[in-house]
Amino acid sequence: MKKFAVAAALLTAVVATPALAADGGEARVEVRGGYIWGNGLDEATAGIAAGYDFDLGDKAFAGAEVAGDKVLQNGANVQFSAGGRVGAKVGTAGKLYATGGYTFSDIDDPYIGAGYQHKFGSNVYGKIEYRHQFIGNFGDFDTVAAGVGFAF
């Protein structure tokens, strides 16, 4: 129950924050697909995510994200996650970042990762991200995903 309360609080923060943000922050939504491996599992994934990034000056940003991802195999449930990211702005269109958070559903454990996001025009972006998920009583998993999104 505690995990769901934390996830609900993070989701509320992501949804409510755009109204409170200073100029330069942006909300985002995306679809993504990728590949997960570890502990005998080698499968494709697909998912959606929503988040908000806060500008920390001209060179840095921090953000929050909620997501739902599905391992594309029979019997796998959607895995939800809530987390944050912090990083550096690269030029006028790029963001290089570290991410971390917590997943819950079939697997309830933390993750860390890194990624790069790049805008194509004023609102559309593409990104690639790596995550390592620490599974307490099971083997760890690694995921690489690519996504396309819309920032506003």
Side-chain angles (χ1 to χ4, degrees), residues 13-14 17-19 21-22 24-28 50-54 62-65 85 152:
V14 168
T17 303
E26 66 182 4
R28 57 189 166 75
Y52 192 86
D53 289 339
F54 300 90
E65 179 178 274
R85 63 189 200 162
F152 48 96

Side-chain angles (χ1 to χ4, degrees), residues 33-88:
Y35 184 72
I36 186 169
W37 70 95
N39 200 34
L41 179 69
D42 291 301
E43 293 290 337
T45 65
I48 58 172
Y52 192 86
D53 289 339
F54 300 90
D55 278 344
L56 301 176
D58 293 339
K59 303 283 186 209
F61 73 96
E65 179 178 274
V66 293
D69 293 285
K70 172 121 172 60
V71 175
L72 300 178
Q73 73 174 21
N74 290 336
N77 291 327
V78 172
Q79 190 72 30
F80 297 99
S81 63
R85 63 189 200 162
V86 62

Side-chain angles (χ1 to χ4, degrees), residues 115-136:
Y116 179 75
Q117 178 178 313
H118 193 87
K119 274 195 176 177
F120 303 108
S122 62
N123 296 93
V124 176
Y125 67 86
K127 79 179 213 182
I128 188 161
E129 185 175 286
Y130 164 79
R131 286 187 181 183
H132 181 83
Q133 189 165 350
F134 300 95
I135 311 299

